[in-house]
Amino acid sequence: MRVGIVGAGSMGEAHAAGWRATDARLVGFVSQGHASAERLAERHGARAYRTLDELLSDVDVVDLCVPSDLHHPMTLEAAAAGVHVVCEKPIALGLVQGREMIEACQRAGVRLFVAMVVRFFPQYRSAAQLIADGAIGDLGVLRLKRVSYPPRAGEQSWFDDAQRSGGMIVDLMIHDFDYAASLAGEVTRVHTRTAVRPEGELADYALVTLRFASGAMALLEGGWVYPPGLFRVGFDLAGTEGVIEWDSDSSEPVRRFLSDSNANAAAVGLPLGGLEEDPYTGQIRHVHQALESGDPFAVTPEEALAALRVALAAKESLRTGRAVAPSEVA
């Protein structure tokens, strides 16, 4: 399996390390800053390409680690070339674009994987398995936190441009929108409150309440507000028979408290402290195995599109000051 990576920033480096942990052949890199592509290519014994078109002619899989506004055109180009696509989250910045990406890959007979990496963190996977096994009964209330320092990509950071990143709610909180829906099902109502930057264009911090068709609810906290180097994540998930909790400041593993017991019972921030294997590597191993075997992906493109719909509903709620149903977002 021949793999090419587009983008030579933090995600490009993380994905490259993941592919090197498989038996796929990392053919090359392409980046807007060609010197960055050359640097990574030299490190990984690969080639630095000048254009995406040149790279696509030499690979079976292209891994897009580029600003979010480029996901749509690059995926369409890869699909037209008959190349499988791994795409960093969010799938796109708009629902029409995301649907076009899915349909283009389907028509071309290639596969699309959207890198919702939180699904591959061991604590989140462990909690999901416990819930699937009925360990805490029926889910009622979910609380999730993801607050980091502002990401930077040079002096003119594309993260600061809502037309390129979608802002913090789309770029960062989408992880927890996806994870919450993977546990509790369809989201029917979204309500957002925030502190905003003085110019009011991008939310640095937000509290988002979700209501699910199941009757469960979730409170999500997200932000780009901490000092450089500080990134905190965590969850507590309450069901009819107990609670599962974990936070990144704790050295303890995921903990479960049953209702009938007396239990006594770590550039762009990546919350990886204390993990035996980088979840980005685990994610790429999964993609590699699924592409080779034909097995389904753990995260489908449709799930990634649904997470984007919730993120856009959260932004619409912020704009209007009212609760928004995801079905209202076009």
Side-chain angles (χ1 to χ4, degrees), residues 73-85:
M74 287 187 174
T75 295
L76 298 190
E77 188 173 347
V83 173
H84 299 297
V85 180

Side-chain angles (χ1 to χ4, degrees), residues 2 169 221:
R2 301 168 302 161
I169 289 174
E221 179 185 7

Side-chain angles (χ1 to χ4, degrees), residues 215-249:
M217 65 177 296
L219 178 63
L220 285 68
E221 179 185 7
W224 284 340
V225 292
Y226 281 158
L230 189 58
F231 196 151
R232 286 181 171 150
V233 297
F235 56 77
D236 62 77
L237 313 167
T240 53
E241 298 178 22
V243 175
I244 300 168
E245 67 174 28
W246 172 78
D247 71 78
S248 56
D249 285 341

Side-chain angles (χ1 to χ4, degrees), residues 2-297:
R2 301 168 302 161
V3 178
I5 294 178
V6 186
S10 299
M11 287 298 99
E13 294 193 45
H15 284 224
W19 286 111
R20 288 294 300 275
T22 73
D23 62 8
R25 182 159 67 93
L26 189 52
V27 171
F29 298 83
V30 63
S31 176
Q32 184 176 12
H34 188 64
S36 298
E38 290 181 321
R39 173 178 53 81
L40 273 185
E42 182 177 1
R43 182 184 305 172
H44 293 286
R47 174 184 166 188
Y49 289 75
R50 288 286 180 179
T51 68
L52 174 59
D53 185 60
E54 290 176 348
L55 178 68
L56 290 174
S57 67
D58 286 347
V59 300
D60 307 300
V61 182
V62 66
D63 190 338
L64 304 179
C65 301
V66 293
S68 301
D69 61 315
L70 299 179
H71 294 177
H72 173 255
M74 287 187 174
T75 295
L76 298 190
E77 188 173 347
V83 173
H84 299 297
V85 180
V86 176
C87 177
E88 258 300 328
K89 56 74 201 164
I91 184 172
L93 294 181
L95 296 175
V96 172
Q97 293 176 325
R99 178 52 61 188
E100 287 177 351
M101 292 163 65
I102 293 171
E103 292 175 351
C105 289
Q106 290 173 339
R107 287 194 303 270
V110 298
R111 300 184 67 183
L112 171 62
F113 177 81
V114 182
M116 308 297 295
V117 73
V118 164
R119 299 265 204 116
F120 295 86
F121 274 71
Q123 302 90 346
Y124 289 81
R125 297 190 77 165
S126 175
Q129 188 60 57
L130 285 168
I131 290 168
D133 292 342
I136 59 169
D138 297 328
L139 271 181
V141 180
L142 301 79
R143 291 173 56 91
L144 299 110
K145 175 177 181 174
R146 187 165 308 275
V147 182
S148 77
Y149 53 96
R152 290 290 176 258
E155 291 185 6
Q156 297 297 319
S157 174
W158 63 269
F159 291 102
D160 287 329
D161 184 346
Q163 300 305 309
R164 304 205 70 194
S165 70
M168 184 278 298
I169 289 174
V170 169
D171 187 81
L172 184 70
M173 295 189 77
I174 198 166
H175 283 300
D176 291 314
F177 296 144
D178 171 68
Y179 184 69
S182 75
L183 299 180
E186 180 188 2
V187 177
T188 58
R189 182 177 181 273
V190 183
H191 196 205
T192 307
R193 285 290 178 266
T194 186
V196 297
R197 300 182 184 193
E199 64 270 26
E201 295 178 358
L202 293 167
D204 285 320
Y205 177 85
L207 292 173
V208 180
T209 304
L210 307 179
R211 174 68 69 179
F212 299 88
S214 65
M217 65 177 296
L219 178 63
L220 285 68
E221 179 185 7
W224 284 340
V225 292
Y226 281 158
L230 189 58
F231 196 151
R232 286 181 171 150
V233 297
F235 56 77
D236 62 77
L237 313 167
T240 53
E241 298 178 22
V243 175
I244 300 168
E245 67 174 28
W246 172 78
D247 71 78
S248 56
D249 285 341
S250 173
S251 61
E252 298 183 65
V254 169
R255 298 180 295 175
R256 177 166 59 111
F257 300 94
L258 299 179
S259 56
D260 60 351
S261 71
N262 293 311
N264 294 312
V268 178
L270 306 177
L272 304 177
L275 299 182
E276 291 185 5
E277 180 179 71
D278 176 352
Y280 293 90
T281 295
Q283 175 179 244
I284 294 299
R285 287 186 191 275
H286 164 74
V287 172
H288 178 257
Q289 186 275 330
L291 287 174
E292 285 201 323
S293 66
D295 289 344
F297 290 134

